Amino acid sequence: MLNKGAFFWVSVFSAMIVLAFLALPMISMMTAPEPSAIREALADKLVVDSVLLSLYTAGMTSLICLVVGTPFAYLLARKEFPGKRLLLSIVDIPIVIPHPVVGIAILGVTGRNHWFGRVLIELGIRVMGSKVGIIAVMVFVAIPFFINAAREGFASVSPRLENISMSLGASKFTTFRKITLPLAWRSILAGLIMSAARALSEFGAVVVVAYHPMIAPVLMYERYEAYGLKYSQPVAFILVVVSLLVFIALRFATAGQSARVEER
Amino acid sequence: MIELRGITNTFPAFQLGPVDLDISRGSFFMLMGPTGSGKTLILESIAGLAPLKQGTVTIFGRDVTCVRSGRRGVGIVYQDSALFPHLTVRENITYGLKWSNCEGMKVPEIVEMLDLGELMDRLPGKLSGGEKQRTALARALVTNPAVMLLDEPMSSLDPQFRGRLRRELKAIHSRTGTTFVMATHDFTDALSLGTGGAVVKSGTIEQQGTIDEIFFKPATPFMASFVGMKNVFGVEIAGGTATTSDGLEISLADREGSGSGHIAIPPESIVVSTESGRGRTSERNHFEGTITEIAREGYGFAVEVQCRTTVFSAVITPASLRDLNLRQGSHVWLSWKASAIHIF
């Protein structure tokens, strides 16, 4: 132990500071609510509805990311073309801009003063104060995480495997389904989980676009503002527990598919 | 015949072609060239896996330029095997049968031929390099392709496995009658398997012909250097004599022809002696020089001898080196027959 250099101990010290900084507030939050307060919150329809809405909108966000983002991620992984760097930077924009700005930007294009907003109104689609608005905001902030993870997954699959598949008679689509997708699946799943987690945690942009219907983070904020910390903690506790359960279930559900690929 | 006519493609750092190539049906054609010369791209062009900017690909009279890869009757095996890592050996081998309508070879027959019986339920991650390549071969052969494209299939194998795979390839070729096109930079592969071949340099064909023509009658200085020829010199030829830039007059067997050209003298054809044999041997070329370097080369020694400013390389045995007491700076005579000189 004494033989370890100063650099080692500096590393250990820095790790302890970071872990304490991350873990202490979480432990405090998870242990603070009385069991009776949690039971009370679980019986509160407003709380249950907000958690369910959070899960629903985050789930829809992941699904949209999967459907829309997968072909785009594949294109970015496989093709070289002029302007690709610019495209990659555009994809990363939501990561770097402040979240309330996202909400304001979305309202800007979906309101009556923008042609796109007028088209949506004509089609009967309301963004402000609706689930559509919440999902739109969530997709905006979450899709970079999905695209980047899926792109890395596709890039890790050798194009030669696709070549072989096509030389053996499989179509491009079949090759994607039978070879590329199973091999990139772990990264896609990671992207889905990251995008869902990002969507679940979004507050700043959602609160601008849709204060109602209330997702869990907005309800937490409202209870904190109106009643104080004690009343917001049970909602946070329930949201964290439910989210963890969903992610663990998702991991287990796809573990079988991943294990085989891992043996390669 | 497989015919490539004027195929070209442009990549950010590489230009392929224009490539013209003729490969006879049933041959074992070797595509040789340095790393990065474009061999794989040519194979992928035949397979329909690399886009073409210009040119046509015809396989046995059928223009397949616009035919998609899986409908060309072509199988491909890559250097790294490119087995599907999430599928077992059995699933890899039978993969093509799901999508091809062709009458394939029987799977058990191929499995037996390539000795894969014990490995069928394994995943590629659990196979050795040789087993992976045999599986890749089986996967390509099972759809009974008219053309097999092999992209340096032995380069990642240990020497003992190379010999085995080489024998297996030879056996499969003679048994199936399939046309094999193999990219390689290993001369042992080319000399032991090839019936014809071509050398690729910077995306174009430098020389095409029989294996003997490529190795013993190189057409350009690059070819001479590529096939390992030494003592390649630019000369002026006139009246049966080749004159080097520093004025050495080398007698040629052929008295006809004149102009600028190149000659190559095999190092093993050059005799090194400590006294002149001029007028006492049948060799017509005798030059006096000084040894500038002696280096071990395989079982013998490579001796570099400078005559005027031209440096010749000769190969001698350890016994000759000892008996003649040769060392750097020794004064020696070099001689060789006019018929040993290759002119191009």
Side-chain angles (χ1 to χ4, degrees):
Chain A
M1 288 284 275
L2 290 173
N3 289 339
K4 307 282 188 193
F7 186 78
F8 172 79
W9 292 112
V10 169
S11 305
V12 169
F13 184 64
S14 95
M16 284 167 69
I17 289 175
V18 171
L19 289 175
F21 180 71
L22 294 177
L24 273 179
M26 289 304 294
I27 293 168
S28 163
M29 188 196 72
M30 295 303 282
T31 53
E34 298 285 330
S36 58
I38 295 169
R39 275 197 300 275
E40 208 174 296
L42 281 170
D44 185 339
K45 189 172 180 305
L46 212 56
V47 172
V48 173
D49 283 353
S50 72
V51 170
L52 288 178
L53 182 62
S54 275
L55 290 174
Y56 169 75
T57 49
M60 288 303 289
T61 297
S62 291
L63 191 66
I64 291 169
C65 287
L66 178 73
V67 173
V68 179
T70 302
F72 184 35
Y74 183 76
L75 177 82
L76 289 173
R78 279 287 180 266
K79 300 289 178 194
E80 292 301 323
F81 49 86
K84 183 175 170 179
R85 276 174 174 272
L86 178 69
L87 218 56
L88 289 169
S89 305
I90 291 171
V91 168
D92 284 339
I93 282 177
I95 297 172
V96 293
I97 59 173
H99 293 180
V101 175
V102 174
I104 289 164
I106 298 247
L107 281 184
V109 290
T110 54
R112 284 180 190 282
N113 296 330
H114 196 278
W115 66 265
F116 184 68
R118 287 194 291 276
V119 171
L120 289 179
I121 291 163
E122 281 294 311
L123 293 169
I125 298 169
R126 191 164 61 91
V127 172
M128 192 167 181
S130 72
K131 287 178 190 171
V132 173
I134 296 171
I135 293 168
V137 164
M138 286 181 169
V139 169
F140 193 94
V141 296
I143 205 161
F145 294 92
F146 177 79
I147 287 179
N148 287 336
R151 178 170 58 87
E152 279 173 29
F154 289 133
S156 72
V157 179
S158 168
R160 288 187 169 183
L161 298 180
E162 296 174 348
N163 280 354
I164 291 282
S165 171
M166 288 188 286
S167 78
L168 289 167
S171 67
K172 192 109 185 160
F173 182 73
T174 305
T175 295
F176 182 78
R177 197 164 50 87
K178 292 283 181 184
I179 304 299
T180 317
L181 207 51
L183 293 174
W185 177 241
R186 279 175 69 85
S187 300
I188 291 171
L189 177 66
L192 278 177
I193 290 175
M194 277 195 288
S195 61
R198 184 67 197 78
L200 268 177
S201 65
E202 184 51 40
F203 168 76
V206 174
V207 84
V208 172
V209 173
Y211 197 91
H212 290 283
M214 245 180 223
I215 57 166
V218 176
L219 181 70
M220 262 185 275
Y221 175 73
E222 190 194 56
R223 295 229 161 156
Y224 170 69
E225 282 281 282
Y227 310 109
L229 190 63
K230 200 178 166 192
Y231 288 90
S232 66
Q233 281 171 331
V235 187
F237 176 89
I238 293 166
L239 183 65
V240 170
V241 170
V242 171
S243 304
L244 281 176
L245 287 175
V246 170
F247 291 139
I248 291 168
L250 202 58
R251 277 280 182 201
F252 270 105
T254 54
Q257 291 175 26
S258 303
R260 203 175 191 210
V261 178
E262 242 177 27
E263 281 187 58
R264 61 181 144 149
Chain B
M1 187 85 92
I2 301 169
E3 293 167 78
L4 273 59
R5 290 287 171 267
I7 64 167
T8 62
N9 204 343
T10 309
F11 299 90
F14 186 76
Q15 161 81 40
L16 176 72
V19 170
D20 289 283
L21 206 57
D22 294 298
I23 301 167
S24 307
R25 187 192 279 262
S27 65
F28 205 129
F29 192 87
M30 311 306 294
L31 208 52
M32 293 168 278
T35 304
S37 57
K39 302 185 294 290
T40 302
L41 267 177
I42 293 175
L43 291 185
E44 289 181 342
S45 299
I46 297 172
L49 296 168
L52 294 182
K53 202 172 173 185
Q54 283 178 318
T56 58
V57 179
T58 308
I59 298 178
F60 308 142
R62 177 179 165 231
D63 186 343
V64 295
T65 313
C66 299
V67 176
R68 80 175 170 93
S69 180
R71 298 280 175 265
R72 292 190 180 198
V74 168
I76 187 164
V77 175
Y78 281 110
Q79 175 182 351
D80 58 358
S81 310
L83 294 177
F84 306 131
H86 57 307
L87 304 183
T88 63
V89 168
R90 185 190 311 280
E91 289 164 337
N92 263 282
I93 292 174
T94 56
Y95 184 84
L97 294 177
K98 294 177 204 162
W99 326 114
S100 302
N101 299 323
C102 57
E103 281 284 312
M105 276 176 84
K106 297 277 186 292
V107 174
E109 192 185 336
I110 290 179
V111 168
E112 191 194 334
M113 186 165 72
L114 288 163
D115 194 19
L116 292 167
E118 302 282 311
L119 312 173
M120 294 298 273
D121 296 318
R122 286 199 206 166
L123 283 167
K126 308 284 181 199
L127 302 178
S128 70
E131 288 167 345
K132 281 181 186 170
Q133 281 303 50
R134 275 157 41 217
T135 306
L137 261 176
R139 179 178 61 182
L141 280 169
V142 86
T143 54
N144 205 16
V147 182
M148 275 288 285
L149 306 171
L150 310 170
D151 185 15
E152 306 201 28
M154 286 178 264
S155 61
S156 58
L157 301 184
D158 292 336
Q160 68 267 31
F161 291 123
R162 280 188 206 181
R164 178 179 171 179
L165 190 61
R166 209 177 278 133
R167 287 191 295 277
E168 281 170 344
L169 284 175
K170 199 162 194 167
I172 293 166
H173 177 244
S174 51
R175 188 167 162 183
T176 60
T178 306
T179 305
F180 276 56
V181 185
M182 177 165 148
T184 183
H185 53 241
D186 186 326
F187 293 163
T188 314
D189 293 344
L191 289 163
S192 54
L193 294 170
T195 53
V199 174
V200 190
K201 180 194 169 196
S202 307
T204 55
I205 302 294
E206 185 76 2
Q207 185 175 347
Q208 181 179 357
T210 65
I211 290 296
D212 280 355
E213 282 167 349
I214 285 170
F215 280 93
F216 304 112
K217 292 179 183 170
T220 63
F222 169 80
M223 281 299 302
S225 156
F226 179 73
V227 298
M229 280 196 170
K230 289 185 176 170
N231 304 315
V232 178
F233 307 113
V235 291
E236 287 296 325
I237 298 169
T241 300
T243 308
T244 60
S245 57
D246 59 356
L248 288 178
E249 292 187 346
I250 298 168
S251 296
L252 306 172
D254 187 0
R255 292 204 153 269
E256 289 177 10
S258 63
S260 299
H262 288 83
I263 59 166
I265 309 159
E268 51 279 8
S269 301
I270 298 178
V271 176
V272 182
S273 55
T274 50
E275 52 191 42
S276 172
R278 197 187 296 273
R280 288 190 283 129
T281 69
S282 63
E283 284 132 352
R284 292 182 49 215
N285 290 293
H286 299 268
F287 294 97
E288 196 178 4
T290 305
I291 294 178
T292 56
E293 194 180 342
I294 300 173
R296 185 98 206 183
E297 195 171 281
Y299 294 112
F301 284 90
V303 180
E304 306 277 302
V305 178
Q306 185 172 344
C307 304
R308 294 193 190 170
T309 60
T310 304
V311 178
F312 292 89
S313 181
V315 179
I316 61 171
T317 62
S320 298
L321 186 77
R322 189 183 59 241
D323 294 348
L324 295 172
N325 193 25
L326 299 179
R327 58 196 59 190
Q328 201 169 329
S330 295
H331 192 72
V332 291
W333 285 83
L334 301 182
S335 56
W336 61 88
K337 293 191 168 198
S339 58
I341 301 168
H342 173 62
I343 308 161
F344 53 101

